[in-house]
Amino acid sequence: LDNEMSITNTPTSNDACLSIVHSLMCHRQGGESETFAKRAIESLVKKLKEKKDELDSLITAITTNGAHPSKCVTIQRTLDGRLQVAGRKGFPHVIYARLWRWPDLHKNELKHVKYCQFAFDLKCDCVCVNPYHYERVVSPGIDLSGLTINSSAGHSSSMIVKDEFDFDGQQSVSSIDGSHSLQTIQHPPTSSRPPPSESFPTPTLLPPPEPSTSASTASFPAIFLPSVSAPDYWCSIAYFEMDVQVGETFKVPSSCPIVTVDGYVDPSGGDRFCLGQLSNVHRTEAIERARLHIGKGVQLECKGEGDVWVRCLSDHAVFVQSYYLDREAGRAPGDAVHKIYPSAYIKVFDLRQCHRQMQQQAATAQAAAAAQAAAVAGNIPGPGSVGGIAPAISLSAAAGIGVDDLRRLCILRMSFVKGWGPDYPRQSIKETPCWIEIHLHRALQLLDEVLHTMPIADPQPLD
């Protein structure tokens, strides 16, 4: 028993980093991998080693689950406010609040307590990362039955149902986990927007900084191409079950800036694509079950010259692959899956950003191909002479950027009901029961223009 006592003894700031880290690891909520948690805690303990009173405050707060009042625990604020841990960036107070209190926390849900002097929002030089100096405020409109607010909360019946469809009750993931190559990033509805009103999509529903659909082309000087008239159809939508396309591709006319994709059996047409009436001889019972939950589905809205917003009308979340959202979350393109909760309204595609990315990638591919050709001819260029190639990308990888890679920038993918990635049983969207692929025609038009001015050779397939 004495031995057991010594193991459970709480360390103090005088103890070795290792034993402090070990003790704090025992209190993590399990929302992210052990490797990531350990890196995040080690990094914090090392920073606090010189500030013994703050380190003791942290140890007290965490080991007593906030039962005793504790002081601010501060680290230096970085330039962009984010902290990098295990190759991932996130806001420091959110990282540690997820680690020790709420594994499924969204970054907009934290509010500091009154007595916290260095809270993140106070914009001081130091940021308090004491998880017990913040409270969680959940925006109205989030269905709490499926979120674990407290790790000791038991499974309610509604939660078990959620798990069956979402696989994310107690093991909701943090958006900055060190061990996974792909990660689910949560997008709950924000309380500032009114609920969906299909009958009057008035401009008040739109966040002010975004150009409205009537915005003149003058607001797009970087893109507007007089040589190209706007496409007749702003997008086409293909519906898949696992890796099989079901039914015809549905084209949305530019005269219908808002299109609904739902699970009902009405005939499709104009601004509505109904998936309920599509038949598939290979459909399994599991697919059939998932399809029943598409319900009201999603609304896709084209704004301005080609930005795209999504509103989730279904009772279940939808999971989206979006390079725009990856970038907003500080992630590499294609590195994350975005979970969009019921009634959330969120921007998933930005035409100008996509256009810039196309131009950069095409230029990079061209420069790399030229450098490779020069190397083959024996004129080895000096280091750093290849224009526009990020040091992180090798010459052959840059020269290997093909038209397909650029086309991918113009495509959104979205799965109904079921997620994919390391946090779910399915590794890729092609293993999900019902999903759609959306080709954005204005972006594809711009891609044609870019390739016209900067032709890139498709990499030759290896025999």
Side-chain angles (χ1 to χ4, degrees), residues 77-368:
R77 181 186 288 271
T78 58
L79 278 174
D80 69 351
R82 294 184 305 168
L83 180 70
Q84 182 144 340
V85 176
R88 298 287 153 86
K89 281 193 152 193
F91 294 113
H93 62 312
V94 179
I95 294 178
Y96 294 107
R98 275 187 188 136
L99 206 62
W100 283 308
R101 294 193 73 183
W102 305 286
D104 55 1
L105 178 74
H106 186 264
K107 67 170 191 262
N108 300 334
E109 293 177 337
L110 283 184
K111 183 173 144 233
H112 62 90
V113 293
K114 285 195 183 71
Y115 51 83
C116 180
Q117 298 170 318
F118 296 96
F120 183 81
D121 294 339
L122 298 178
K123 304 268 191 296
C124 307
D125 287 345
C126 288
V127 179
C128 175
V129 293
N130 183 338
Y132 292 94
H133 276 203
Y134 293 89
E135 289 166 350
R136 184 178 192 176
V137 285
V138 179
S139 346
I142 298 183
D143 170 15
L144 290 185
S145 64
L147 291 180
T148 322
I149 299 299
N150 188 314
S151 59
S152 59
H155 269 69
S156 63
S157 58
S158 59
M159 192 154 160
I160 291 164
V161 172
K162 284 290 269 198
D163 280 357
E164 185 186 337
F165 299 115
D166 276 2
F167 290 98
D168 76 345
Q170 294 240 334
Q171 53 206 18
S172 271
V173 295
S174 104
S175 68
I176 44 158
D177 175 301
S179 67
H180 298 329
S181 57
L182 191 76
Q183 197 64 36
T184 315
I185 295 177
Q186 325 243 339
H187 300 271
T190 51
S191 49
S192 58
R193 288 207 186 91
S197 90
E198 288 132 82
S199 38
F200 337 92
T202 55
T204 51
L205 279 182
L206 318 179
E210 289 301 323
S212 73
T213 340
S214 60
S216 75
T217 45
S219 20
F220 295 91
I223 292 188
F224 183 60
L225 300 167
S227 58
V228 183
S229 57
D232 295 339
Y233 298 94
W234 71 267
C235 76
S236 49
I237 306 170
Y239 168 65
F240 293 83
E241 291 176 0
M242 312 293 273
D243 57 354
V244 176
Q245 183 176 347
V246 176
E248 298 289 312
T249 298
F250 182 79
K251 289 184 165 181
V252 185
S254 294
S255 57
C256 300
I258 298 180
V259 60
T260 306
V261 183
D262 61 38
Y264 300 122
V265 294
D266 304 327
S268 297
D271 63 354
R272 189 167 172 214
F273 184 19
C274 297
L275 307 177
Q277 37 93 12
L278 300 173
S279 55
N280 172 10
V281 289
H282 305 290
R283 187 171 292 153
T284 62
E285 203 178 314
I287 295 175
E288 198 65 80
R289 263 203 317 273
R291 277 168 53 84
L292 294 174
H293 295 278
I294 297 173
K296 292 181 181 171
V298 292
Q299 233 175 32
L300 304 170
E301 182 175 355
C302 179
K303 289 201 204 172
E305 203 191 344
D307 293 353
V308 180
W309 289 68
V310 167
R311 189 190 295 284
C312 178
L313 303 174
S314 170
D315 293 336
H316 293 278
V318 292
F319 296 82
V320 177
Q321 187 179 51
S322 149
Y323 288 173
Y324 169 75
L325 287 178
D326 292 345
R327 195 169 172 143
E328 289 293 286
R331 304 298 294 274
D335 191 29
V337 178
H338 300 269
K339 179 176 182 179
I340 298 184
Y341 282 83
S343 81
Y345 177 62
I346 187 165
K347 183 176 181 176
V348 292
F349 180 79
D350 183 287
L351 188 69
R352 275 178 286 188
Q353 182 199 299
C354 175
H355 189 231
R356 275 198 303 275
Q357 242 173 325
M358 280 173 200
Q359 289 173 317
Q360 283 163 0
Q361 286 197 16
T364 299
Q366 262 200 329

